[in-house]
Amino acid sequence: MGLFGAGDPPCPAGSICSGQARTFVGKKTSPGAAGTTNVTDPGTGIYHASTTKLNTDGSSTTEVYIIKDDKWQKAATTTDGGKTYTFDDDVAGAGFQNELKNPEGALHKNVDAGVNKAADDASVPQTDKAKLLDSNKNKAENDNSESDTKPAVAPAEEGGGGGQTEESTEGTRTSFPNLRYPINVADSKQDIIKFDMHEYVPSEVGKSGSGDGVSFGFERGDLGPSIGSVVLPIPRGISDQNKADWGSNSMTALDIAKAEIARSAIFDGLATGAEKVTQYMDAVKRNSGATVSAVGNSLAAAAAGVDGQALLSRTTGQVLNPNMELLFKGPSLRPFSFKFQLSPRDSKEASTVIKILRFFKQGSAPIRSKSNLFLKSPHVFRIKYVRMGANGELHRGLNTFKTCALQGVGVNYTPTGNYATYSDGVMVSYDLTLSFSEITPIFNDDYGDSDNDQFIGF
């Protein structure tokens, strides 16, 4: 199923909508060495989304939807902030119900995190946010700009790769604030670009394919909830470029013959391979003397370990037809670069700008393991363009992104050409340049198998 194969998750007017996420249900683990955990069964990945509405009596109603039969269907409802749920038994399976009922379940935590994140994105006051979830009732005085959500499980477990990951060194940051610049950008209703930071999750290996087939290679693990975000105005000069790696390739008739002989010997036995040799030699003999001479020179060159085409050209003034063709070599990873000018207008905005610079600098830095023996991958980012309408929706006129690595953070502290600060030492302006690259290539099936006139897609 493509990214938009089931359409957008439901989002009724006046609701706080979480957007799409995926959580694995029914995962099984076993103890590993040195206190680590191995995933023996990654479980079933369930795509889910939630809509939450604050009722006039002060309560809230949250509905959880899942993708089933290639469409979004309501699976569960709570009117007490997630303490209890009612389920549609025709949609919600037993594994889904058990994990959503359990406050310590990955699904329960990820749904809660999605509601919290949607409330932050919609700038819901903390006093109202506390009414949305039972787990928020004692957090009404918290700073709404600080993210208190973390992945439901450790990245090594969520990835399901079966590997062992050492804990990070003390002081490693895994919780960042949710920041906006300008600080009143939500009031302006201008379209924005949003950067969500996530802890890196390794790939999974050797998952079973559909039907009787087996899927070889690696599959990306699912990211947990965002650990912090930055919202900025959409910059100038945005673009993307989708590429595939194609290159010229040559294969002479002699190369083709050698490959066919080897193929016959491997798949049909040595006797068949020897028979192929005889067939090719007979075919050569049936041609003119020039052909026999050319093939003989090429074979002599191969035996001597020299360039057969060069010897043939020197002795006959001709070369074997290279049968040159442009062939597909592999996919390419898309790079993206964004440049922002951050010019704080007051002390509060200056503090926000400093935090934004630190957010990207620290988020792109490698992570040391506790023993200092390993270096772990930096945090990764999900990027999206958002139209700031009533609910904030994915921008249909611009491209979407896969998970990205932040490969470079550049800061020009004197973009005006002169050193100038405010009285507190903050620079009057900063130029921030961010260089990203998607972690995985774009494939045909990422778009789905039908046209979607609502989105350009990748």
Side-chain angles (χ1 to χ4, degrees):
M1 180 186 302
L3 180 64
F4 305 107
D8 289 334
C11 187
S15 298
I16 300 167
C17 304
S18 69
Q20 178 176 302
R22 183 165 72 154
T23 301
F24 279 84
V25 171
K27 181 170 55 182
K28 297 178 181 178
T29 62
S30 63
T36 60
T37 301
N38 295 330
V39 176
T40 57
D41 182 354
T44 302
I46 294 180
Y47 287 92
H48 57 88
S50 65
T51 66
T52 303
K53 183 172 290 187
L54 193 60
N55 304 319
T56 54
D57 62 359
S59 65
S60 66
T61 300
T62 294
E63 296 179 337
V64 181
Y65 293 79
I66 64 173
I67 293 180
K68 186 173 182 180
D69 299 329
D70 293 340
K71 62 182 179 181
W72 288 100
Q73 300 186 50
K74 185 169 71 174
T77 303
T78 179
T79 56
D80 56 10
K83 291 172 64 177
T84 60
Y85 280 92
T86 58
F87 296 94
D88 186 328
D89 292 333
D90 292 333
V91 179
F96 175 91
Q97 294 189 27
N98 290 336
E99 288 228 11
L100 193 55
K101 290 177 183 177
N102 179 11
E104 298 302 317
L107 183 63
H108 187 107
K109 289 187 175 182
N110 283 348
V111 168
D112 281 5
V115 173
N116 273 324
K117 194 68 178 166
D120 286 342
D121 291 344
S123 299
V124 174
Q126 191 67 37
T127 51
D128 289 337
K129 183 180 171 184
K131 302 174 184 177
L132 303 181
L133 292 171
D134 182 66
S135 57
N136 286 344
K137 287 185 176 179
N138 295 323
K139 300 179 181 179
E141 301 304 318
N142 284 359
D143 180 2
N144 190 47
S145 68
E146 295 296 325
S147 171
D148 57 6
T149 62
K150 288 191 176 183
V153 290
E157 295 180 35
E158 184 69 24
Q164 300 176 0
T165 303
E166 187 182 343
E167 291 183 10
S168 303
T169 188
E170 187 174 348
T172 299
R173 191 174 185 184
T174 57
S175 180
F176 291 77
N178 299 315
L179 304 166
R180 293 177 173 85
Y181 173 87
I183 55 177
N184 63 341
V185 66
D187 299 331
S188 69
K189 299 300 180 184
Q190 65 176 308
D191 295 346
I192 55 94
I193 182 171
K194 185 179 182 187
F195 302 90
D196 275 302
M197 188 190 299
H198 296 260
E199 291 188 79
Y200 177 84
V201 176
S203 299
E204 299 175 357
V205 185
K207 292 188 67 176
S208 297
S210 59
D212 296 329
V214 175
S215 177
F216 295 97
F218 296 90
E219 181 176 326
R220 297 299 313 169
D222 287 290
L223 301 178
S226 169
I227 59 173
S229 66
V230 166
V231 168
L232 296 168
I234 295 180
R236 295 181 299 170
I238 57 174
S239 64
D240 68 357
Q241 195 168 37
N242 290 36
K243 290 183 178 180
D245 187 10
W246 292 73
S248 62
N249 182 268
S250 299
M251 183 173 284
T252 67
L254 190 59
D255 294 329
I256 296 171
K258 289 187 292 186
E260 183 63 19
I261 291 169
R263 182 177 178 277
S264 297
I266 292 171
F267 290 102
D268 302 322
L270 293 176
T272 304
E275 185 179 339
K276 276 287 183 183
V277 173
T278 303
Q279 291 175 2
Y280 275 111
M281 293 304 297
D282 290 341
V284 170
K285 291 176 182 179
R286 287 196 296 269
N287 281 277
S288 66
T291 301
V292 175
S293 176
V295 172
N297 281 329
S298 296
L299 292 174
V306 299
D307 187 347
Q309 290 281 56
L311 179 61
L312 188 60
S313 181
R314 285 175 181 271
T315 57
T316 68
Q318 60 185 359
V319 295
L320 293 174
N321 182 356
N323 296 302
M324 183 176 289
E325 187 176 350
L326 188 69
L327 298 179
F328 173 65
K329 290 186 173 182
S332 295
L333 298 172
R334 295 192 302 178
F336 294 94
S337 183
F338 305 99
K339 187 172 183 178
F340 304 93
Q341 185 171 52
L342 310 178
S343 302
R345 297 165 296 179
D346 53 39
S347 59
K348 185 174 181 180
E349 202 161 75
S351 176
T352 297
V353 168
I354 295 298
K355 290 179 180 179
I356 288 174
L357 297 179
R358 186 181 181 91
F359 174 94
F360 288 113
K361 283 174 172 281
Q362 189 170 10
S364 67
I367 298 170
R368 289 187 292 183
S369 66
K370 184 171 289 188
S371 68
N372 206 29
L373 181 61
F374 302 103
L375 288 179
K376 303 170 70 173
S377 300
H379 299 319
V380 293
F381 295 81
R382 279 181 171 159
I383 307 171
K384 62 181 178 180
Y385 299 113
V386 179
R387 294 195 64 203
M388 292 299 285
N391 298 311
E393 59 188 21
L394 197 64
H395 202 304
R396 66 184 298 269
L398 294 173
N399 65 285
T400 53
F401 303 83
K402 285 195 169 184
T403 302
C404 292
L406 180 50
Q407 294 184 298
V409 180
V411 180
N412 183 354
Y413 299 92
T414 57
T416 63
N418 297 303
Y419 174 78
T421 70
Y422 291 111
S423 58
D424 58 0
V426 176
M427 307 302 293
V428 298
S429 187
Y430 299 86
D431 272 355
L432 173 63
T433 303
L434 304 173
S435 299
F436 291 92
S437 181
E438 286 176 322
I439 291 177
T440 55
I442 304 300
F443 296 103
N444 182 296
D445 59 278
D446 288 323
Y447 291 88
D449 57 3
S450 62
D451 285 330
N452 187 326
D453 59 2
Q454 296 301 311
F455 293 94
I456 293 175
F458 299 103

